[in-house]
Amino acid sequence: MQRVFEALSSPVRRKILAYLAHADLTAGEIAAKFEISKPAVSQHLSVLEVAGLVTSEKKGQYVHYSLAPDQLTNTLNGYVQEVCPVAKPLKRESAALAKARANKPDDAGL
Amino acid sequence: MQRVFEALSSPVRRKILAYLAHADLTAGEIAAKFEISKPAVSQHLSVLEVAGLVTSEKKGQYVHYSLAPDQLTNTLNGYVQEVCPVAKPLKRESAALAKARANKPDDAGL
DNA sequence: TAGGTAATTAGGCAATCACTTAAACATTGA
DNA sequence: TCAATGTTTAAGTGATTGCCTAATTACCTA
């Protein structure tokens, strides 16, 4: 949770996630999209991986990175639910969400 | 957007938002809930306010802070939608969400 | 095995962050 | 007006962050 929000606080890291949302990429392909050095990108990728937002798989000499969408959506949605409970729900979508939540016993309390 | 994620990267600030989710509080009441000094809390409140996550209203010598739930939910939900588009939806909730969305012409696109 | 490419680790530095105490500002009430 | 209370601003400090270059590790191929 802390690691996720910390990871998302960097524009570069959010941009990396956006790239990975469209396609898996190698570390080098990601680095090529930024002005900063490769080691700097590697560090960002490490932060994202520790936060569980991306996964990596080594294939030969390349390391392929993938988005871990569940970790992202679960954390953010869960947080929104926690801070903006039922009182003032999300918006339109909240109706469906609240219904879904009513079905299973709540263990979301941080 | 950047300011929102930056604001959320601090555990203290997330805790403040959680407190304000239950009730409006004055600066002093918020500060009393933390070990850190009042000026430190005041700075955190300032960050939250600049990010649009809270609003403040001065009443006499007190300053009352309130959660701005829309800014929070809109930003986070919008971001989730952007990074994890339709392809790989949320998770359990996504079923209900997708169903709900199917019912009415979609205008939820960020 | 040697050379080249991909990626990470290590070490160092400037900038930023979170916090502190002290001071200032604003409001209330005697 | 003066003192007390609530809050913010200011100034300074130690820790952390983000970046760099250089070195290292891992893999592939000739």
Side-chain angles (χ1 to χ4, degrees):
Chain A
M1 167 88 163
Q2 169 57 26
R3 288 191 218 273
V4 168
F5 277 111
E6 199 171 309
L8 292 176
S9 73
S10 156
V12 171
R13 290 191 288 262
R14 289 200 304 278
K15 219 166 182 180
I16 291 175
L17 293 179
Y19 285 131
L20 291 177
H22 292 94
D24 292 3
L25 296 170
T26 69
E29 288 170 336
I30 295 168
K33 294 177 177 297
F34 295 91
E35 301 282 306
I36 63 181
S37 69
K38 259 162 98 160
V41 172
S42 187
Q43 285 174 328
H44 283 302
L45 287 169
S46 171
V47 170
L48 289 170
E49 187 162 22
V50 167
L53 295 174
V54 306
T55 59
S56 68
E57 190 182 355
K58 184 155 190 175
K59 287 182 182 172
Q61 60 189 118
Y62 297 89
V63 177
H64 291 255
Y65 283 88
S66 308
L67 186 67
D70 285 0
Q71 173 73 351
L72 182 59
T73 59
N74 289 347
T75 299
L76 294 189
N77 282 319
Y79 179 71
V80 167
Q81 292 305 317
E82 177 193 333
V83 166
C84 306
V86 212
K88 202 160 208 167
L90 305 150
K91 40 193 278 186
R92 244 180 307 269
E93 298 94 290
S94 62
L97 254 176
K99 204 169 94 176
R101 211 199 302 145
N103 290 343
K104 47 182 162 34
D106 187 309
D107 60 323
L110 74 137
Chain B
M1 168 86 161
Q2 168 57 26
R3 287 191 219 274
V4 168
F5 277 112
E6 199 170 310
L8 291 176
S9 72
S10 155
V12 171
R13 290 192 286 263
R14 289 200 305 276
K15 219 167 181 178
I16 291 175
L17 293 179
Y19 286 131
L20 292 177
H22 292 94
D24 291 4
L25 296 170
T26 69
E29 289 170 336
I30 295 168
K33 295 179 177 297
F34 294 92
E35 302 280 309
I36 63 180
S37 70
K38 263 163 94 160
V41 173
S42 186
Q43 285 174 326
H44 283 301
L45 286 169
S46 172
V47 170
L48 289 170
E49 188 162 22
V50 168
L53 295 175
V54 306
T55 60
S56 68
E57 190 181 355
K58 184 155 190 175
K59 289 182 182 172
Q61 62 189 118
Y62 295 88
V63 178
H64 291 256
Y65 281 89
S66 308
L67 187 65
D70 284 1
Q71 172 73 350
L72 182 58
T73 59
N74 288 347
T75 300
L76 293 189
N77 282 320
Y79 179 70
V80 167
Q81 293 304 318
E82 177 192 333
V83 166
C84 306
V86 213
K88 206 161 205 168
L90 306 148
K91 54 180 254 183
R92 240 184 307 270
E93 298 93 295
S94 63
L97 253 175
K99 202 169 92 179
R101 215 190 302 142
N103 289 343
K104 46 186 158 42
D106 188 311
D107 60 326
L110 74 136

